[in-house]
């Protein structure tokens, strides 16, 4: 059930980032024209950085749902940071794109975690609903 929670969060992230990118339409800092693969994966616009938002979301997921030692937590934060830095270094995003991506990923995880109902509560709610099929 926890993996379903992360899948919902990642799908929400894809939809939100794609919508914001289509509204803002900020081009990448490099003069490299997008390839066919960029159009297929919807990576034509730069703001916000979707990879950065998903990296923060996955990092928060591991922090909240797995018991990890401190060194692993540090590695996860470094991993998310390296993803952001790499997007800037290869010329696909500005620094502000990455920071906004980090922020959007953080907010989306908080939203999904706030709205998520645990499986025990769902089963309780379903058991309370009367059977309307007449049996």
């Amino acid at each position: 059930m926890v993996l379903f929670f992360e899948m919902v969060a990642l799908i929400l992230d894809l939809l939100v980032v794609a919508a914001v990118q289509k509204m803002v339409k900020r081009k990448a800092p490099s003069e490299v024209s997008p390839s066919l693969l960029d159009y297929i994966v919807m990576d034509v616009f730069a703001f916000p950085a979707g990879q950065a938002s998903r990296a923060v979301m996955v990092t928060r997921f591991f922090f909240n749902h797995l018991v990890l030692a401190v060194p692993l937590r540090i590695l996860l934060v470094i991993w998310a940071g390296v993803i952001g830095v790499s997007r800037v270094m290869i010329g696909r995003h500005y620094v502000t794109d990455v920071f906004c991506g980090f922020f959007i990923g953080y907010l989306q995880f908080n939203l999904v975690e706030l709205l998520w109902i645990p499986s025990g509560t769902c089963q309780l709610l379903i058991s309370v609903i009367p059977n309307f099929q007449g049996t």
Side-chain angles (χ1 to χ4, degrees):
M1 197 63 167
V2 175
L3 291 178
F4 181 73
F5 163 78
E6 180 64 13
M7 187 63 69
V8 168
L10 289 172
I11 290 171
L12 173 70
D13 181 66
L14 285 171
L15 296 174
V16 168
V17 167
V20 172
Q21 284 181 345
K22 296 295 181 194
M23 287 189 311
V24 175
K25 295 184 179 179
R26 183 177 184 180
K27 296 291 184 186
S30 66
E31 295 298 322
V32 179
S33 60
S35 66
L36 177 63
L37 183 61
D38 291 327
Y39 285 108
I40 292 172
V41 296
M42 299 183 304
D43 197 18
V44 178
F45 300 114
F47 181 85
Q51 292 84 358
S53 68
R54 287 182 283 283
V56 167
M57 193 176 298
V58 169
T59 300
R60 293 275 326 274
F61 171 77
F62 284 136
F63 279 7
N64 289 2
H65 295 284
L66 297 176
V67 178
L68 298 173
V70 173
L72 289 175
R73 289 178 175 263
I74 292 170
L75 282 175
L76 277 172
V77 171
I78 290 171
W79 170 74
V82 166
I83 287 177
V85 169
S86 70
R87 299 303 292 174
V88 173
M89 289 182 69
I90 64 172
R92 296 297 298 180
H93 295 284
Y94 295 101
V95 174
T96 54
D97 300 341
V98 172
F99 282 135
C100 287
F102 285 157
F103 185 67
I104 287 172
Y106 186 85
L107 288 179
Q108 286 177 348
F109 186 86
N110 287 343
L111 175 68
V112 172
E113 182 119 319
L114 178 72
L115 298 176
W116 191 257
I117 300 173
S119 62
T121 306
C122 285
Q123 291 174 356
L124 178 67
L125 290 173
I126 290 171
S127 69
V128 172
I129 297 173
N131 189 355
F132 290 110
Q133 296 177 355
T135 57

